[in-house]
Amino acid sequence: MDGLSRWVTQHRRTVGLLWLVITVVGVLMAPSVSGRLKGGNHLNSAAYRANERIAEEYGGATADPGVLVLDLPPGRTVRSPHVRTELAAVDAGIAKAAPGVRVVSYAATDSRALIGKGGTSTVVLAYPPHDGDDMDTDAVDALVAAARIAAPQLTVHGTSLQALAAGNTAKGNSSVLSELLIGSLGALLVLAWVFGSFLALLPLVMALVSVLTMQLLIYGLTYLVPADSPIGPSVQYIVALLGLGLSIDYSLLIVTRWREERAAGRTNDEAVREAMKRAGHSVWFSGLVASLGLFALTVVPNSVVRGIGISGLFIPSTATLVALTLLPVVLSKIGPRADWPRRRTVHDTSRFWTWWSHRVIRHRVAAAAAGLAILCGLTAVAATINISEPTSSALSNGGPYTDGLHALAADGFPSGTLTTVPVYVPRAADAPGLVASLNEVSSLRGAITPTSPDWRHGDSAVVVTLPRHEVGSSQGGTSLDDIKQTVPRDALVGGEAALGIDQADSTYSTFPLLFALVALATFLLLARGLKSILLPAKAVLLNALSVAASYGILVLVFQQGLGMQALWGTKSYGAIDALAPVLLFGFLFGVSMDYEVFILARVREGYDRTRSTHTGIVEGVSRTGRLVTSAALILFFALASLSTANDVTVREIAAGLAAGVLLDAVVVRMLLLPALVSLFGSANWWMPSWAARLLRLPPRAGERNPRERITVSVGDA
């Protein structure tokens, strides 16, 4: 690290110009990034293959439908004179107002499954023209308007799952730029409090360069990834906001150490080299561990998760590269001038954190018990997690689409009507027999095979089934399994809900492997860096417990609705998005390890100098407590601003990460870490000789017992 800092400061102009060119190109290309990102999810599953085939021949028939509830005037039923003509007029009106939309209606099929109780109502199922389209609020509004114009004597209500979800999402259009500004403002306030000078601007400048570089890398990556594994739009949000937080954290660490060295009387160049030698090593190590946690997401057989994992690899690595190359150039050139007006005095230790560390050590058993009680309590809450799609009742939040849902129920139609399951039948001649079989299944309201020309393609057909319960939700029942057991082998069962179930199954079938890979690799890296067996084992276990506790917060907020109305003006979804927990693990496990490295590096430094675990803890916590708290607050502001996104998955990930970062920094790093290190005493530094040989760790010169005392530090925070 010392060699890198010397080379960078000796070639300041070259390094500065290189980063200037990258930044300018990043500014020019940033507006084009969103256009290169593609939604959708690619899986190797039966539902995915079914949807591909159905979409190829029948467009958006795989989507959840828009549902029109048509109530007849009093005294009339669907078999009354002229009613069939009126209902056919609705179909014609929809075809005229929304060309390409495929409808399934009583007028076209004469199916009893589409008749409400008493025969006084019916429903029209409408599917978008293209695969990947949704029957959102605009689509449902257009259908309702067309039906009312075509048959003004009918009472028309419209709804769909997508329209209900949109009604339960915060209004307004979020953007990467607006969220970056919010996160940057919060970070600036914390940095101003930390430095009390214009140095507060340096980490923000480094973050700007990092984020633009990350966006440029993502843009290039879109040309390299296979077509069946596209990078989704949510990546842009995650890279921008998480990149902002990590970049500022790494810069904060180095600038703080540089300032301490300047206060100790070193010249500017000496202070830069010393900060790079010590804090720079911690930044490099932290970036490596964080990158590992994110890149490990690529083992999940899900294109969305893999895309985020590949993209996430650039977040810590780019932040690290900027902090270790551009930041020392800027400090060596303008550092002393930027440290003005210096309204905050630089101290080696914090009086509050010194007092705090003494209190925790004195009451270490109680502190450990309190910290573990908090984490275990939240972990117990996490055990109730419901990973599924939200039900329509959870999504209903008032308004016309909720009225449509109520009208659907009042007319005797099950809510499963919103999650129809399409079945692709290779031979249209087999469709009537399959419909007859499915009509005998008790978990289904019925099945329909549309016969209009837009529902015919070659010799194939589609059978639309109406479940009694919402497929994909926690109340989905056995409808999907019953359909799969009833259809012949050559039929393909698809639909959004079926794909969602396959997505969750594929994601969590590999979760144990994901955890094992990340935990093992993190343990080995920390064991080599900290020259200890117990400390990395404790770190991995506490990190796992911290992630589980963050799941508990996710359940309390998004599943049980605690604070949802106050924070986002919406109600609880009653469920957690299938992608949120696995992505939260990938991000939080790696990112929170930063604080572990920052603190333990200083603890190790104090122990190496005094051979006292007590002194090492006090020095480590007193020197890093304020730094870790500030870094956690900065990352919290960045992630909290990301939680304003309209995308539910991004919102859940951001809110869970924000809460998890604070929980980890306060409960784990500032309470449990010093308490447990104090309890373990000299066992913290035990490194068996066989393990040292396995990790290729030579003992330090002059040490009598390498089994007990291998004390090369990972770096100083």
Side-chain angles (χ1 to χ4, degrees):
M1 196 59 64
D2 188 55
L4 174 63
S5 64
R6 289 181 183 275
W7 186 91
V8 166
T9 53
Q10 289 173 0
H11 300 82
R12 290 183 300 191
R13 181 172 299 178
T14 301
V15 174
L17 286 175
L18 179 61
W19 279 114
L20 178 61
V21 170
I22 293 174
T23 303
V24 170
V25 175
V27 170
L28 295 175
M29 299 303 298
S32 304
V33 175
S34 58
R36 293 289 307 168
L37 304 178
K38 299 178 181 179
N41 193 3
H42 296 257
L43 298 174
N44 182 21
S45 74
Y48 178 78
R49 291 188 291 272
N51 283 355
E52 286 284 281
R53 187 63 179 271
I54 295 172
E56 181 182 348
E57 300 185 14
Y58 298 96
T62 60
D64 291 327
V67 179
L68 291 183
V69 184
L70 308 180
D71 290 306
L72 302 175
R76 304 181 68 189
T77 70
V78 293
R79 303 198 184 278
S80 297
H82 308 299
V83 168
R84 177 67 67 90
T85 302
E86 295 168 359
L87 297 178
V90 171
D91 290 359
I94 292 174
K96 181 179 179 180
V101 169
R102 289 181 172 86
V103 299
V104 179
S105 67
Y106 174 74
T109 65
D110 204 28
S111 172
R112 290 179 298 173
L114 300 175
I115 302 175
K117 63 182 180 181
T120 61
S121 63
T122 183
V123 294
V124 175
L125 309 177
Y127 297 87
H130 305 293
D131 179 36
D133 292 348
D134 288 326
M135 299 306 293
D136 54 13
T137 55
D138 292 338
V140 172
D141 290 345
L143 294 175
V144 171
R148 287 174 177 170
I149 293 173
Q153 68 276 23
L154 302 180
T155 301
V156 182
H157 292 92
T159 190
S160 73
L161 280 182
Q162 287 72 30
L164 288 168
N168 201 22
T169 302
K171 299 297 186 288
N173 295 320
S174 62
S175 69
V176 175
L177 179 59
S178 63
E179 288 156 7
L180 272 174
L181 291 175
I182 295 172
S184 299
L185 179 59
L188 181 59
L189 293 175
V190 177
L191 291 169
W193 173 72
V194 171
F195 292 115
S197 72
F198 284 105
L199 278 177
L201 296 175
L202 279 188
L204 283 176
V205 173
M206 298 301 109
L208 175 64
V209 174
S210 295
V211 169
L212 288 172
T213 304
M214 293 173 197
Q215 298 291 333
L216 187 60
L217 291 171
I218 296 302
Y219 182 84
L221 188 62
T222 60
Y223 288 94
L224 300 178
V225 296
D228 61 349
S229 299
I231 297 177
S234 59
V235 166
Q236 192 173 21
Y237 289 90
I238 295 170
V239 166
L241 276 302
L242 193 56
L244 173 72
L246 282 181
S247 298
I248 292 176
D249 279 4
Y250 292 164
S251 299
L252 174 64
L253 183 67
I254 293 176
V255 174
T256 299
R257 188 64 188 234
W258 168 84
R259 208 179 187 205
E260 288 182 12
E261 298 300 334
R262 286 276 296 168
R266 297 184 187 275
T267 66
N268 188 45
D269 287 343
E270 290 173 342
V272 170
R273 287 196 295 270
E274 192 66 19
M276 287 288 291
K277 177 182 177 181
R278 299 187 178 276
H281 202 109
S282 290
V283 166
W284 172 84
F285 192 79
S286 298
L288 178 63
V289 174
S291 296
L292 170 69
L294 297 176
F295 189 66
L297 291 172
T298 56
V299 305
V300 178
N302 181 311
S303 65
V304 172
V305 178
R306 281 181 171 172
I308 292 176
I310 294 172
S311 305
L313 179 64
F314 295 129
I315 300 175
S317 57
T318 304
T320 301
L321 185 63
V322 172
L324 296 183
T325 57
L326 180 58
L327 182 57
V329 168
V330 176
L331 285 176
S332 66
K333 187 70 176 177
I334 65 168
R337 289 194 295 268
D339 196 10
W340 180 88
R342 297 194 64 171
R343 296 186 180 277
R344 181 174 289 278
T345 305
V346 179
H347 297 287
D348 288 340
T349 59
S350 165
R351 284 180 293 180
F352 169 78
W353 288 109
T354 300
W355 171 84
W356 174 262
S357 59
H358 281 297
R359 295 285 293 180
V360 171
I361 293 172
R362 186 177 306 167
H363 304 284
R364 51 188 176 271
V365 175
L372 290 173
I374 294 172
L375 295 184
C376 291
L378 288 172
T379 300
V381 175
T384 66
I385 193 169
N386 172 26
I387 299 176
S388 64
E389 293 299 317
T391 62
S392 59
S393 59
L395 291 173
S396 59
N397 203 31
Y401 314 112
T402 298
D403 293 341
L405 180 64
H406 292 163
L408 190 72
D411 289 341
F413 294 99
S415 60
T417 305
L418 300 174
T419 59
T420 58
V421 178
V423 179
Y424 178 85
V425 183
R427 294 175 299 279
D430 297 337
L434 178 57
V435 169
S437 298
L438 290 170
N439 280 333
E440 299 298 320
V441 177
S442 60
S443 62
L444 302 179
R445 178 178 175 84
I448 311 150
T449 178
T451 57
S452 57
D454 55 349
W455 282 103
R456 281 290 179 263
H457 187 278
D459 192 38
S460 67
V462 169
V463 172
V464 177
T465 62
L466 277 65
R468 294 194 180 277
H469 304 284
E470 295 169 44
V471 178
S473 73
S474 58
Q475 303 172 11
T478 62
S479 298
L480 185 61
D481 289 337
D482 292 342
I483 293 170
K484 292 179 178 179
Q485 292 173 7
T486 304
V487 302
R489 285 189 175 183
D490 58 351
L492 304 176
V493 179
E496 285 194 9
L499 182 63
I501 292 173
D502 283 0
Q503 173 181 288
D505 291 344
S506 67
T507 298
Y508 290 96
S509 64
T510 56
F511 192 81
L513 174 62
L514 171 64
F515 176 80
L517 288 176
V518 173
L520 178 61
T522 301
F523 172 81
L524 293 175
L525 285 172
L526 288 176
R528 180 174 174 79
L530 294 170
K531 313 302 184 289
S532 167
I533 293 295
L534 188 60
L535 285 179
K538 174 193 66 64
V540 170
L541 291 175
L542 284 184
N543 252 30
L545 195 58
S546 177
V547 172
S550 299
Y551 290 166
I553 297 175
L554 208 63
V555 169
L556 287 174
V557 175
F558 290 97
Q559 184 172 314
Q560 299 182 11
L562 182 64
M564 282 280 286
Q565 190 66 41
L567 292 172
W568 294 285
T570 65
K571 60 188 291 187
S572 164
Y573 282 102
I576 302 300
D577 186 275
L579 294 181
V582 68
L583 293 177
L584 187 63
F585 169 81
F587 287 121
L588 192 58
F589 199 95
V591 170
S592 62
M593 196 62 76
D594 289 349
Y595 305 141
E596 182 88 14
V597 173
F598 295 168
I599 298 170
L600 286 179
R602 279 295 180 95
V603 172
R604 184 81 205 211
E605 178 184 358
Y607 173 78
D608 285 345
R609 190 178 65 258
T610 65
R611 315 310 298 172
S612 168
T613 300
H614 181 283
T615 302
I617 295 171
V618 173
E619 287 194 12
V621 174
S622 63
R623 290 173 182 268
T624 61
R626 187 159 160 261
L627 176 64
V628 167
T629 303
S630 302
L633 283 174
I634 289 169
L635 196 53
F636 172 82
F637 279 121
L639 293 167
S641 65
L642 179 60
S643 70
T644 62
N646 289 338
D647 187 289
V648 174
T649 304
V650 174
R651 179 186 295 178
E652 290 184 1
I653 294 171
L657 275 173
V661 164
L662 280 186
L663 179 72
D664 188 84
V666 176
V667 176
V668 178
R669 307 309 165 196
M670 292 304 156
L671 188 64
L672 275 172
L673 187 151
L676 292 177
V677 172
S678 179
L679 282 170
F680 294 152
S682 59
N684 288 293
W685 322 111
W686 177 64
M687 170 63 76
S689 56
W690 63 266
R693 290 193 299 271
L694 185 64
L695 294 171
R696 298 179 179 274
L697 297 175
R700 291 180 61 178
E703 286 194 337
R704 298 178 181 178
N705 188 356
R707 179 182 295 272
E708 295 290 334
R709 293 170 59 184
I710 299 178
T711 57
V712 178
S713 166
V714 68
D716 302 291

